């Protein structure tokens, strides 16, 4: 009988020890949340996207995925709002994020960045799809970082290579029409930069600037009548109106070289493009460093895309009888899908 009681007591002690060890294990593992770096806090991130467009959409997806990978789905909440390419909407959205006391604002597009920067000097801002931060934020003596509450990633592809692409695909080009929206500071910056390379190549050019979407048809018509090739930089307004451009340029036999893949897929023959998902993801990683590690955005250097790719639009190239040399990848267009 005594032997039985001692055995029962031993079992009870062992059970207690096992429960204690198990309890310690649960505490250290965070209840199975070791897959992310989240410590239990939920960060509020407001996203102001300038407009719906495949390139900007991909950048937003990349940004969100980076933070989810780092923090887990339960460690971050996103409030994604689209400004429909209206500056007033960008401002209203940004001010709402400030009033809502978000932990960080992601600004996707130049107008979105300018509005967010005007709305707060305190809440960290991580931007993406910005061509040139010095131009967008009117910063003189650029050093690579903003020195403010802003940092992020750039979508600028090598402009010299884009100028060379025009000559490569349209060897008899005499005059290039530079088509862009004058309301977008980064578009004007790209145009002024590519003009330098066209000068070096002894190719004439002229600027054709539309103040907004309503002027694109008239401006494009003028450009097509006076030029034998067009160049469109990464420009959000033009990206939303590629059908208008293509309906004028293609029947006239005037090829368009574009600054990014989305524009090229709608009206261009070729582009030197980057991955917007990748620059969005890199921006998300920067946001993590700010939120979790307390890094000062003003000291973080602006990051650029690591890889660029030559791509061409098979449908428009065929329609214009343009032979694409080796080294270009085809873009999948709606006509091919």
């Amino acid at each position: 009988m005594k032997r039985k009681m001692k055995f029962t007591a031993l079992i009870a002690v062992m059970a207690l020890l096992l429960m204690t060890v198990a309890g310690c294990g649960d505490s250290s593992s965070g209840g199975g949340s070791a897959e992310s770096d989240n410590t239990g806090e939920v960060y509020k991130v407001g996203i102001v996207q300038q407009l719906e467009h495949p390139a900007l959409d991909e950048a937003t997806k990349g940004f969100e995925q980076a933070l989810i990978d780092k923090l887990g789905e339960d460690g971050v909440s996103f409030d994604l709002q689209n400004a429909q390419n209206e500056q007033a909407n960008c401002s209203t959205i940004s001010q709402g994020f400030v009033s809502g006391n978000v932990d960080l604002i992601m600004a996707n597009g130049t107008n979105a960045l300018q509005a967010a920067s005007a709305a707060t000097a305190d809440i960290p801002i991580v931007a993406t799809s910005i061509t040139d931060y010095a131009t967008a934020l009117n910063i003189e003596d650029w050093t690579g970082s903003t020195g403010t509450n802003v940092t992020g990633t750039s979508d600028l592809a090598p402009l010299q290579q884009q100028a060379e692409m025009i000559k490569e695909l349209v060897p008899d080009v005499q005059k290039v029409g530079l088509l862009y929206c004058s309301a977008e500071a980064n578009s004007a910056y790209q145009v002024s930069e590519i003009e330098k390379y066209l000068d070096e190549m002894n190719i004439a050019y002229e600027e054709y600037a539309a103040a907004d979407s309503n002027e694109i048809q008239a401006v494009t018509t003028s450009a097509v009548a006076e030029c034998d090739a067009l160049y469109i930089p990464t420009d959000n307004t033009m990206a939303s109106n590629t059908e208008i451009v293509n309906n004028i340029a293609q029947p006239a036999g005037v090829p368009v070289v574009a600054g990014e893949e989305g524009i090229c897929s709608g009206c261009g023959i070729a582009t030197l493009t980057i991955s917007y998902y990748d620059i969005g993801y890199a921006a998300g990683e920067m946001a993590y460093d700010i939120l979790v590690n307390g890094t000062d955005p003003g000291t973080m250097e602006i990051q650029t895309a690591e890889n660029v790719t030559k791509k061409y639009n098979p449908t428009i190239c065929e329609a214009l009888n343009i032979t694409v040399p080796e080294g270009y990848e085809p873009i999948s267009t709606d006509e091919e899908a």
Side-chain angles (χ1 to χ4, degrees), residues 25-302:
D26 288 342
S27 176
S28 63
S29 66
S33 60
E35 294 180 357
S36 71
D37 296 336
N38 184 28
T39 58
E41 183 172 359
V42 179
Y43 295 98
K44 296 188 299 181
V45 176
I47 301 175
V48 50
Q49 182 172 315
Q50 186 166 325
L51 75 160
E52 292 180 82
H53 179 262
L56 301 190
D57 293 345
E58 283 297 300
T60 293
K61 289 178 183 177
F63 176 84
E64 291 179 331
Q65 191 58 54
L67 283 177
I68 290 172
D69 288 346
K70 290 283 190 179
L71 298 169
E73 292 185 357
D74 296 330
V76 59
S77 66
F78 301 106
D79 184 357
L80 170 59
Q81 297 191 38
N82 196 297
Q84 303 302 327
N85 210 26
E86 294 289 340
Q87 185 66 44
N89 292 344
C90 288
S91 298
T92 300
I93 293 168
S94 298
Q95 291 164 5
F97 290 155
V98 175
S99 299
N101 197 31
V102 297
D103 295 303
L104 182 140
I105 296 174
M106 193 277 256
N108 191 352
T110 302
N111 290 349
L113 170 59
Q114 291 171 333
S117 180
T120 178
D122 300 316
I123 297 174
I125 300 170
V126 176
T128 191
S129 311
I130 312 298
T131 303
D132 182 68
Y133 282 76
T135 301
L137 299 175
N138 195 26
I139 299 175
E140 298 181 359
D141 301 322
W142 179 250
T143 62
S145 57
T146 67
T148 68
N149 61 321
V150 175
T151 190
T153 56
S154 169
D155 64 354
L156 181 62
L159 293 171
Q160 182 175 2
Q161 293 183 44
Q162 292 185 14
E164 293 169 350
M165 185 179 291
I166 298 172
K167 182 67 174 178
E168 180 179 41
L169 296 173
V170 192
D172 297 328
V173 62
Q174 298 296 313
K175 184 178 180 181
V176 177
L178 305 173
L179 189 62
Y180 68 103
C181 176
S182 59
E184 299 192 30
N186 279 319
S187 299
Y189 166 79
Q190 292 171 82
V191 166
S192 66
E193 288 297 303
I194 204 165
E195 287 175 353
K196 300 175 184 178
Y197 301 116
L198 292 174
D199 282 333
E200 294 176 359
M201 299 164 65
N202 295 317
I203 297 176
Y205 55 81
E206 186 170 341
E207 295 185 14
Y208 296 86
D212 54 35
S213 299
N214 296 324
E215 295 186 2
I216 290 178
Q217 182 168 350
V219 169
T220 304
T221 300
S222 297
V224 164
E226 300 168 1
C227 304
D228 40 22
L230 302 181
Y231 171 76
I232 301 177
T234 54
D235 184 295
N236 292 308
T237 302
M238 291 297 169
S240 300
N241 294 276
T242 56
E243 184 176 358
I244 294 175
V245 175
N246 190 55
N247 287 343
I248 298 170
Q250 185 173 325
V254 177
V256 178
V257 172
E260 57 91 12
E261 184 173 343
I263 297 175
C264 187
S265 65
C267 65
I269 58 169
T271 184
L272 188 68
T273 193
I274 65 170
S275 167
Y276 276 80
Y277 182 91
D278 287 349
I279 64 169
Y281 196 96
E285 292 178 318
M286 298 173 82
Y288 171 81
D289 282 338
I290 294 168
L291 292 170
V292 177
N293 299 326
T295 305
D296 178 3
T299 65
M300 303 174 73
E301 289 199 0
I302 302 303

